[in-house]
Amino acid sequence: MSGRTQLMWDDAVTGYDFGEGHPMDPVRLALTMGLVRALGLDRAVDVVAGRPAGDSTLRLVHREDYVAAVRAASADPERADQRYGLGTVDDPAFRGMHEASALIAGQSVAAAEAVWRGDTAHAVNFTGGLHHAMPGGAAGFCVYNDAALAIARMLELGAERIAYVDVDVHHGDGVQAAFGEDPRVLTVSLHEHPRTLFPQTGWPQETGIGAGEGSAVNVALPAGTGDAGWLRAFHAVVPELLADFRPQVLVTQHGADTHFEDPLAHFAVSLDAQRAVMTACHELAHTHAEGGRWIALGGGGYEVVDVVPRSWAHLVGIAAHTPVDPESVIPSWWRDEVYARTRRLGPARMTDGRAPSWKPWEEGYDPADRLDQAVLATRRAAFPLRGLLA
């Protein structure tokens, strides 16, 4: 592999804006990029702007009639067709919606192309990770599924084994749906249990369809899961699967909505644990993917001042092999920018002050513990389908 880590960015991605009061506030993207610059991380990467995904690329995952419906709603939001999930409370139509969505998708596709070609080993698109969009509809604040499109593009270019690991608090349902019948793609999602959170999918028994049986793995964790449980579940499932699958490329989705301050979910995970999982994904890419190929995406995250910018700035630093010291003091000028944009005080340091640890699964489990029950349910449902011991 050659070249520095690529960070995909175009100021126009902030046009992905569902309107005032919507949780998916584009200020989170602008503040993240501002913090990347404040920490000097932009000098450790190549900042690249990909082209918007064209119709032929979008059709790798999305139906032609759906793309046409997005275009129509984008030109005239009053024409939004709710049969496609457009013009709903979750996904309000807005002028320019197609262009902004295609641009975000294009960043992830460009990242995938660069990593597959060997231009770089790592690429980050924190504006992406819109994992709920389905082939024929918008869902969960997601219009085009950039993660699925990036994977589909690499398959088109000849990839035979791609692993997708999703640690957003919500189930990565759209990516699973896109590749549920394709054994070339292993999808692993750790998320809050579907009984208590949208999209009410991601049960351990969802293991793939037909030829793809065993290619989907779901870890449905109880509401209230904190650092120790989340890290224990990740390490009890993900490394063993990747060691067995031997992906050519690792794609990861790092929704920041697992955080204890996030307003839309019920986990109690700290920024420090999120950083630990990012570091683990980086190490797993170098250990199991060919040439360390790693594409890291953003995703959910609705505490847009305290959490999202810090979380994804850590992601950029880790991917650039220039990790940010958690004790780093955040430059005051970025905090001034936060106040100017949001009338809120920004965080002072790059840590929540936690030192997360966990008990390895190999040391045994407690059958009465809800977290361990969740992990065991996943291992029993999915691991034997891959020839692994539950």
Side-chain angles (χ1 to χ4, degrees), residues 274-296:
Q274 291 178 345
R275 182 178 180 274
V277 161
M278 294 168 187
T279 299
C281 288
H282 182 210
E283 293 171 352
L284 289 166
H286 278 290
T287 302
H288 299 300
E290 290 183 0
R293 288 187 174 115
W294 182 34
I295 299 160

Side-chain angles (χ1 to χ4, degrees), residues 66 69-70 72-73 76-88 93:
Y66 172 58
V70 175
D76 181 1
E78 295 298 321
R79 295 176 56 196
D81 191 337
Q82 292 196 2
R83 292 175 299 175
Y84 292 100
L86 303 169
T88 61

Side-chain angles (χ1 to χ4, degrees), residues 43-379:
R43 299 191 296 274
V45 297
D46 289 333
V47 180
V48 179
R51 297 192 305 271
D55 282 7
S56 62
T57 297
L58 294 173
R59 286 199 297 270
L60 292 174
V61 169
H62 295 291
R63 296 200 319 250
E64 187 173 1
D65 60 314
Y66 172 58
V67 175
V70 175
R71 283 187 176 278
S74 181
D76 181 1
E78 295 298 321
R79 295 176 56 196
D81 191 337
Q82 292 196 2
R83 292 175 299 175
Y84 292 100
L86 303 169
T88 61
V89 172
D90 275 1
D91 297 274
F94 59 92
R95 194 167 295 277
M97 179 172 62
H98 167 78
E99 290 76 13
S101 303
L103 179 60
I104 290 174
Q107 307 305 307
S108 291
V109 171
E113 291 172 341
V115 168
W116 182 253
R117 285 193 306 259
D119 296 345
T120 181
H122 305 335
V124 179
N125 178 26
F126 60 74
T127 72
L130 305 181
H131 58 170
H132 294 308
M134 293 292 177
F141 314 161
C142 306
V143 177
Y144 293 139
N145 195 319
D146 64 285
L149 288 163
I151 292 168
R153 176 58 176 150
M154 288 187 285
L155 294 175
E156 185 180 48
L157 293 172
E160 297 176 347
R161 294 183 313 282
I162 300 173
Y164 172 77
V165 176
D166 189 318
V167 296
D168 192 289
V169 77
H170 301 90
H171 176 225
D173 57 340
V175 183
Q176 178 180 297
F179 303 107
E181 299 181 56
D182 193 334
R184 296 174 297 174
V185 181
L186 172 67
T187 63
V188 186
S189 178
L190 285 82
H191 47 266
E192 186 176 328
H193 201 284
R195 286 197 189 97
T196 54
L197 193 67
F198 175 90
Q200 285 79 52
T201 58
W203 298 80
Q205 295 76 22
E206 296 174 34
T207 55
I209 302 168
E213 181 72 14
S215 66
V217 181
N218 287 290
V219 190
L221 299 173
T225 295
D227 288 359
W230 194 59
L231 292 168
R232 175 169 166 81
F234 178 92
H235 287 282
V237 172
V238 176
E240 191 171 349
L241 289 169
L242 295 184
D244 171 71
F245 188 63
R246 298 178 296 108
Q248 294 166 292
V249 186
L250 176 62
V251 181
T252 56
Q253 195 267 24
H254 297 272
D257 43 11
T258 52
H259 196 271
F260 56 77
E261 289 186 18
D262 195 89
L264 299 189
H266 316 100
F267 274 7
V269 172
S270 71
L271 181 75
D272 304 284
Q274 291 178 345
R275 182 178 180 274
V277 161
M278 294 168 187
T279 299
C281 288
H282 182 210
E283 293 171 352
L284 289 166
H286 278 290
T287 302
H288 299 300
E290 290 183 0
R293 288 187 174 115
W294 182 34
I295 299 160
L297 307 174
Y302 309 100
E303 181 19 82
V304 300
V305 171
D306 284 342
V307 178
V308 173
R310 292 190 297 161
S311 185
W312 292 346
H314 274 303
L315 181 63
V316 173
I318 290 164
H321 300 104
T322 311
V324 177
D325 184 341
E327 296 298 329
S328 297
V329 174
I330 295 174
S332 60
W333 70 258
W334 181 80
R335 299 176 70 203
D336 292 342
E337 179 184 349
V338 168
Y339 188 78
R341 287 176 174 266
T342 69
R343 288 298 183 265
R344 291 179 54 188
L345 298 176
R349 294 191 302 156
M350 290 294 290
T351 178
D352 285 334
R354 307 288 178 86
S357 62
W358 71 96
K359 180 183 177 183
W361 187 256
E362 295 76 15
E363 294 182 6
Y365 62 88
D366 179 358
D369 182 83
R370 292 175 64 216
L371 187 286
D372 284 3
Q373 289 171 359
V375 172
L376 192 58
T378 296
R379 292 181 64 97

